[in-house]
Amino acid sequence: MRVLQAAFIALVLGLILATTLGGGGFLLVRNVPMIVEGWQSRSWPAVVGEVKKSEAVAKPIIIDSRRGAVGTHVVRLHYAFTVWGRTYSGTRQSLDDVGIIKSAEVAQREAESLPVGRPVPIFYDPRDPSRSLLKPGVPVSGVLGSLFGAMLVATGMALVAIGLHLHSYHARRRRKRQA
């Protein structure tokens, strides 16, 4: 019975560790490059480009048989710009485009603020002009995701430290009892 209890506890703690360290590590790996790109984008050069397409569209996140599609709205944007005599196109407003939940009204207002044919400043990566956006800067969603990931990793490491401390403590107590 004691072996089964120990195995169960080890399994539960292993799952907690995998969730905290694995999940936190995943969030860090996913978000830190976005923060780096956002930081770099602050110094990207800008050229004047032109909006080619701008429309608010629904983007389902979950399709539920009872409630239908549940999701957000986004601005489907296409713009074109020229760098060194070559024409490029892009779709990103900012690095925060992904993950921000917008109502239909907010997305519609954004789309209307970027009418087709409107000249807009386009910021592009000078090493790869195909990487571009309208609003440079560090994405809030990337910072929040990284902070949450770091908290999960710290929690996992604290659990490991507590586990090692308890293991050492109980080992010392067993040795004292045996002596």
Side-chain angles (χ1 to χ4, degrees):
M1 186 66 162
R2 219 165 167 67
V3 173
L4 284 174
Q5 285 176 330
F8 179 74
I9 290 171
L11 175 67
V12 169
L13 290 176
L15 288 173
I16 291 171
L17 277 177
T19 302
T20 56
L21 292 175
F26 170 78
L27 287 172
L28 287 171
V29 166
R30 182 177 178 266
N31 288 300
V32 168
M34 191 184 339
I35 292 171
V36 170
E37 182 180 18
W39 189 264
Q40 292 170 343
S41 74
R42 296 168 59 234
S43 63
W44 287 357
V47 295
V48 176
E50 182 180 315
V51 175
K52 298 294 185 181
K53 181 180 188 178
S54 177
E55 63 181 341
V57 295
K59 180 179 179 184
I61 297 172
I62 301 169
I63 299 178
D64 187 323
S65 59
R66 288 179 288 131
R67 295 183 295 179
V70 177
T72 186
H73 292 79
V74 296
V75 176
R76 187 172 294 148
L77 176 70
H78 293 278
Y79 51 81
F81 60 101
T82 303
V83 175
W84 304 314
R86 184 169 174 200
T87 301
Y88 295 90
S89 64
T91 60
R92 292 191 304 180
Q93 286 188 60
S94 72
L95 294 173
D96 246 345
D97 285 350
V98 178
I100 294 183
I101 297 175
K102 298 177 187 174
S103 67
E105 295 79 25
V106 169
Q108 187 61 41
R109 275 197 306 273
E110 280 186 24
E112 289 170 357
S113 73
L114 296 164
V116 172
R118 177 179 176 193
V120 289
I122 311 287
F123 295 84
Y124 67 92
D125 182 346
R127 292 169 294 174
D128 181 6
S130 66
R131 294 176 55 212
S132 61
L133 39 82
L134 298 183
K135 300 172 194 164
V138 176
V140 174
S141 61
V143 172
L144 293 176
S146 292
L147 287 174
F148 187 63
M151 286 180 5
L152 284 174
V153 168
T155 300
M157 294 176 78
L159 289 171
V160 168
I162 290 168
L164 290 172
H165 172 73
L166 288 174
H167 178 74
S168 171
Y169 171 77
H170 288 292
R172 283 193 308 270
R173 283 189 62 192
R174 278 192 299 273
R175 280 194 302 269
K176 282 183 182 179
R177 271 189 267 139
Q178 290 173 354

